[in-house]
Amino acid sequence: MTDNFFIENDPFALFDRWFADANKHESEDANAMALASVDEAGLPNIRVVLLKAWDKRGFVFYTNLESKKGVEIIASGKVAVNFHWKSLKRQVRIRGLIERVTKEEADAYFQSRRRISQLGAWASQQSRPLKDRDTLMARVDQLESDYQDKEILRPPHWDGSRILPLEIEFWQDQDFRLHDRLVFKREEGSKSWNILRLYP
Ligand SMILES: Cc1cc2nc3c(=O)[nH]c(=O)nc-3n(C[C@H](O)[C@H](O)[C@H](O)COP(=O)(O)O)c2cc1C
């Protein structure tokens, strides 16, 4: 599959096209991405989160900032993510810096979530030890009765992070493992990209 892989010299235009393809072809969660961070000892950590918004500024996901990942990304200000779209034999790798989304953006997204997910954001002390599942469900029940008929506001520790990309690699499987790799790189603060191909 050669596709018109190189028609764009703008990584966002290429991501737009590939993400649309993924949404068409992947059976579930085309927006799932593995998010890597490092802990205070420099030991890498990785888990899946969902891409909830993106534009030319960057790629947005939401999480509990008091979670393991929250603490790590606040400390280092740097992350990497990886999308693997198996049905298309494609991967996209993004490395970059982190900034918080605006309060308005985070509030609007939180309000768009189902009520039970909003309660879950309050109930979960994400990444901290939990005695048993009953403890979690009891917290949810308690919150449900506390918030009955009341608007649930976004917890201050539950927020959106935008990845400001410095590097975006597009990888397309090709026959005989002679894959295509196209990398867009830029310096912090720059809007223009250097484009290079890498050996597979
Ligand atoms: C498909 C999928 C989507 C997920 N989406 C999110 C997400 O958007 N935000 C989030 O905080 N955790 C999400 N999780 C859970 C994380 O992978 C992880 O278990 C959790 O955030 C705790 O990670 P941490 O202890 O490294 O902070 C998702 C997991 C899966 C499998």
Side-chain angles (χ1 to χ4, degrees):
M1 179 175 178
T2 43
D3 193 21
N4 40 359
F5 186 69
F6 296 115
I7 55 171
E8 292 94 350
N9 50 21
D10 167 10
F12 296 107
L14 186 49
F15 185 84
D16 192 35
R17 185 158 62 85
W18 278 29
F19 193 50
D21 289 346
N23 277 302
K24 252 184 260 151
H25 292 277
E26 285 295 304
S27 57
E28 264 182 72
D29 293 338
N31 61 338
M33 54 187 187
L35 170 84
S37 53
V38 285
D39 70 11
E40 62 284 1
L43 192 64
N45 216 341
I46 192 158
R47 78 293 282 162
V48 172
V49 295
L50 297 178
L51 177 70
K52 287 296 174 182
W54 73 274
D55 58 23
K56 288 202 173 218
R57 288 171 299 170
F59 301 85
V60 175
F61 63 93
Y62 286 84
T63 196
N64 183 324
L65 293 178
E66 295 170 353
S67 67
K68 194 91 178 66
K69 84 180 86 45
V71 171
E72 290 172 3
I73 65 180
I74 288 169
S76 78
K78 296 172 189 147
V79 293
V81 292
N82 179 286
F83 295 89
H84 179 203
W85 294 310
K86 291 185 186 173
S87 62
L88 297 163
K89 301 187 174 191
R90 287 175 173 170
Q91 78 173 328
V92 173
R93 299 164 63 172
I94 301 171
R95 302 171 76 206
L97 309 175
I98 283 283
E99 72 172 21
R100 300 268 283 275
V101 302
T102 63
K103 183 179 174 313
E104 292 69 31
E105 224 175 324
D107 287 344
Y109 174 63
F110 188 77
Q111 287 312 320
S112 77
R113 302 183 90 211
R114 290 189 313 158
R115 218 175 144 76
I116 187 69
S117 305
Q118 293 176 341
L119 289 174
W122 279 106
S124 175
Q125 299 176 348
Q126 195 176 56
S127 314
R128 279 145 291 175
L130 169 64
K131 186 163 143 262
D132 51 32
R133 189 163 177 87
D134 288 347
T135 306
L136 174 62
M137 296 323 286
R139 277 176 73 85
V140 174
D141 289 346
Q142 182 61 51
L143 284 158
E144 218 161 6
S145 80
D146 292 350
Y147 276 103
Q148 210 165 24
D149 305 323
K150 286 191 206 134
E151 186 188 6
I152 307 170
L153 295 178
R154 179 174 62 87
H157 56 266
W158 192 95
D159 209 348
S161 298
R162 176 174 282 108
I163 304 167
L164 312 175
L166 296 174
E167 196 172 315
I168 308 181
E169 176 184 328
F170 296 85
W171 183 101
Q172 172 69 66
D173 178 274
Q174 298 288 5
D175 290 345
F176 316 114
R177 301 197 186 280
L178 300 174
H179 315 304
D180 282 319
R181 298 180 66 185
L182 190 62
V183 183
F184 295 79
K185 274 188 180 194
R186 68 177 173 191
E187 299 297 323
E188 190 177 343
S190 167
K191 284 207 180 338
S192 67
W193 295 94
N194 292 316
I195 307 175
L196 66 154
R197 260 181 183 272
L198 299 180
Y199 279 97

